[in-house]
Amino acid sequence: MENEIVHIKTDNILDDARKIIETARSNAVRSVDFSRVQMYWNLGRRIFEDEQEGKERADYGTYLIKNLATNLEAEYGSGFSERQLKFCRQFYKLYPIGNALRSQLNWSQYRALIQIPDAEKREYYELESVNNGWTGRETERQINSQLYERLLISNDKETLLATARKERVVEKPTEIIKDPMILEFLGLERKPVYYESDLETALIEHLQQFLLELGNGFGFIARQKRLLIEDDEYFADLVFYNRLLKCFVVIELKTHKITHEDLGQLQMYVNYFDRNEKLPDENPTIGILLCTAKNDEMVKMTLPKDNKNILASKYELYLPSKEALQEEVKKLAEAQRKFDEAKDGAEE
């Protein structure tokens, strides 16, 4: 008995020791990363100040950076190339207050941020990178997949930024859930047809990336959740819980253009969770139909006018070109605008 107690205590101490070591290592890496950020900021400031002194010569800045890069690269390597020094100068211009730099962000994140000309869009990605603890790769992925633009389809800038600034809490599903969803991280080969089970398996295998794409507050609950209705069995593809919306989220996967039958099936699953799983203090369940294509008018015609909890979202298995994604976002935004105008007209 005494040996068991000693063994338990040893395990507890071992767990604590591991946490202490991992935290220290993480802090050390973060400290090194932020020192690099400060180094590039100081370089940018020094270049900018010298440029200002030589501003009567239009080509002075170009000459200065090129000459500086030649010397620094010879001594310290490729981290001080001409292109990198231009980033440093831009970094200082956009973030002139050194004390305001965020220690949670590394240089690759700041480098991605300074290439965003829109100040509000840049602030959104900066705040969300900090709020969600994104890595440099995750920040770049969210920028490249145009997360900001996709959320703007069903949100205004003020709402989006206020949420990122933590000045307000999320109130409705459309503030988080995107349309389209980009699932390029699955790495599926290009072929005309996929089985739903293939897509589901790939999402489970890449759950961390899928949670990143789903957005803030999602936690995984179950795969192929069994729903027993009298003597009949049904299985919901994926079930999550969102702590911000305080509700279950049921996701159904379709490898075809959705039909009204698909929406009816999902509505039944949502009703089941509301009546059998939801606690009294939780909000109504949300259902998301992920599909390859959809008829927005059919979706709106099938669902009740006041529907807020059944959403259809198209998914892309490959990251489209920036131009193609912008066009897709533009079309969806226009469709949403027309729907909102028609809805307002009907209410009047």
Side-chain angles (χ1 to χ4, degrees):
M1 182 70 178
E2 185 176 340
N3 287 338
E4 288 181 6
I5 294 173
V6 171
H7 183 69
I8 292 171
K9 286 185 175 180
T10 302
D11 284 346
N12 291 338
I13 293 172
L14 182 59
D15 287 342
D16 290 342
R18 284 172 175 154
K19 290 176 184 176
I20 291 169
I21 293 168
E22 292 300 324
T23 300
R25 285 181 173 177
S26 177
N27 289 340
V29 170
R30 190 177 296 114
S31 177
V32 170
D33 284 343
F34 190 58
S35 294
R36 190 177 181 215
V37 168
Q38 291 174 311
M39 174 188 72
Y40 283 130
W41 183 87
N42 280 307
L43 278 171
R45 180 183 63 175
R46 185 68 186 86
I47 291 168
F48 181 80
E49 289 172 348
D50 204 84
E51 274 187 331
Q52 293 303 99
E53 290 178 9
K55 60 185 176 183
E56 67 278 0
R57 291 176 54 190
D59 62 342
Y60 180 73
T62 302
Y63 167 79
L64 170 67
I65 289 180
K66 193 170 185 177
N67 189 51
L68 195 60
T70 300
N71 286 278
L72 291 179
E73 271 196 297
E75 290 184 57
Y76 300 106
S78 59
F80 303 91
S81 65
E82 183 178 348
R83 185 166 181 265
Q84 188 83 311
L85 293 182
K86 286 179 179 178
F87 280 138
C88 294
R89 177 180 59 188
Q90 181 68 1
F91 183 31
Y92 175 74
K93 285 181 179 180
L94 294 175
Y95 296 89
I97 304 172
N99 291 336
L101 296 176
R102 299 179 183 274
S103 60
Q104 302 96 323
L105 301 181
N106 57 39
W107 173 240
S108 69
Q109 288 169 303
Y110 269 120
R111 189 175 57 191
L113 290 170
I114 63 179
Q115 295 178 69
I116 301 173
D118 185 303
E120 291 178 325
K121 180 178 173 181
R122 183 168 60 248
E123 181 190 3
Y124 173 79
Y125 284 117
E126 179 185 343
L127 291 171
E128 288 296 84
S129 293
V130 173
N131 293 341
N132 298 293
W134 290 345
T135 64
R137 182 173 294 179
E138 287 170 343
T139 297
E140 289 183 23
R141 188 265 172 190
Q142 299 293 55
I143 293 171
N144 291 336
S145 69
Q146 294 197 298
L147 169 65
Y148 180 74
E149 287 83 355
R150 287 186 286 144
L151 287 173
L152 277 181
I153 291 172
S154 51
N155 300 279
D156 56 70
K157 287 184 180 181
E158 291 72 23
T159 297
L160 211 56
L161 285 171
T163 304
R165 291 168 184 157
K166 297 186 176 180
E167 297 171 352
R168 64 181 296 279
V169 295
V170 173
E171 297 176 352
K172 53 186 181 179
T174 51
E175 293 182 34
I176 296 177
I177 297 160
K178 302 104 185 163
D179 183 20
M181 284 196 190
I182 308 298
L183 308 179
E184 91 294 342
F185 52 84
L186 298 180
L188 294 172
E189 62 180 278
R190 293 180 182 271
K191 59 182 183 180
V193 178
Y194 281 98
Y195 291 110
E196 287 166 12
S197 58
D198 294 335
L199 183 60
E200 181 185 314
T201 299
L203 287 171
I204 293 299
E205 289 175 351
H206 296 82
L207 188 58
Q208 185 174 348
Q209 294 97 321
F210 187 40
L211 287 170
L212 177 69
E213 174 62 9
L214 281 176
N216 297 338
F218 280 90
F220 178 65
I221 299 294
R223 171 189 187 183
Q224 289 297 308
K225 170 71 175 176
R226 178 174 175 264
L227 313 180
L228 184 62
I229 303 175
E230 289 192 354
D231 295 329
D232 294 326
E233 283 185 328
Y234 300 91
F235 295 89
D237 289 339
L238 299 170
V239 181
F240 294 83
Y241 191 87
N242 189 282
R243 62 182 181 83
L244 300 180
L245 296 169
K246 296 180 181 177
C247 68
F248 287 102
V249 180
V250 180
I251 297 181
E252 279 296 291
L253 307 172
K254 301 299 174 186
T255 54
H256 56 252
K257 183 176 181 178
I258 61 169
T259 66
H260 64 279
E261 290 90 352
D262 296 328
L263 291 166
Q265 176 191 28
L266 182 57
Q267 182 70 71
M268 182 182 70
Y269 293 170
V270 166
N271 292 343
Y272 178 93
F273 269 84
D274 280 344
R275 297 169 191 176
N276 297 282
E277 302 283 348
K278 183 178 83 67
L279 297 176
D281 62 338
E282 292 177 324
N283 290 318
T285 303
I286 294 167
I288 304 174
L289 244 174
L290 278 182
C291 55
T292 57
K294 61 190 175 84
N295 180 329
D296 287 310
E297 289 303 315
M298 183 276 290
V299 172
K300 290 163 187 170
M301 190 66 67
T302 302
L303 299 172
K305 281 187 178 181
D306 59 350
N307 167 64
K308 296 178 182 177
N309 293 74
I310 303 294
L311 304 170
S313 181
K314 179 181 174 182
Y315 63 82
E316 300 279 355
L317 289 176
Y318 316 104
L319 190 64
S321 68
K322 186 176 180 180
E323 293 73 22
L325 196 50
Q326 284 175 339
E327 187 61 28
E328 177 80 11
V329 167
K330 186 177 177 181
K331 286 180 181 177
L332 289 167
E334 181 62 19
Q336 183 65 40
R337 184 187 66 78
K338 289 180 178 178
F339 173 70
D340 291 339
E341 287 179 355
K343 184 178 178 183
D344 293 340
E347 290 174 354
E348 291 173 2

